[in-house]
Amino acid sequence: MLLKDVAAGQSCVVERIDLPFQMERRLQALGMTRQTEISVVNRKGKGILIVKLRGSRFALGYQITKSITVRMAGGTV
């Protein structure tokens, strides 16, 4: 499933990132790598998410969230 489809309050694990090289590297520098758990804190409109990643919160736009493949994790926020 895609990150844009995860509901607020759910956690997921990053499986694949399909973004341009520079943008993918920037997300990796922020800590978003494969097998990283992400918690969706809030949803703001179509595909725009506030996520918690390794103790920090980030806002990700639709173009990013539709390009990240995830699987559901066991816990919730």
Side-chain angles (χ1 to χ4, degrees):
M1 88 187 297
L2 298 176
L3 181 57
K4 72 177 184 70
D5 299 322
V6 178
Q10 293 185 322
S11 294
C12 56
V13 177
V14 176
E15 290 291 312
R16 194 173 81 207
I17 301 173
D18 293 318
L19 289 166
F21 180 78
Q22 292 292 344
M23 190 171 293
E24 185 174 341
R25 288 291 180 196
R26 177 67 177 140
L27 289 175
Q28 288 174 349
L30 294 171
M32 185 180 292
T33 57
R34 289 185 179 150
Q35 305 306 314
T36 301
E37 187 169 334
I38 299 175
S39 299
V40 177
V41 177
N42 201 356
R43 297 183 64 87
K44 301 281 186 183
K46 180 185 174 188
I48 301 170
L49 302 177
I50 307 298
V51 298
K52 187 172 182 183
L53 170 67
R54 298 184 189 232
S56 298
R57 291 181 185 207
F58 297 98
L60 300 175
Y62 177 73
Q63 295 298 323
I64 294 174
T65 61
K66 74 173 188 167
S67 302
I68 299 174
T69 305
V70 297
R71 65 177 162 80
M72 297 309 292
T76 57
V77 174

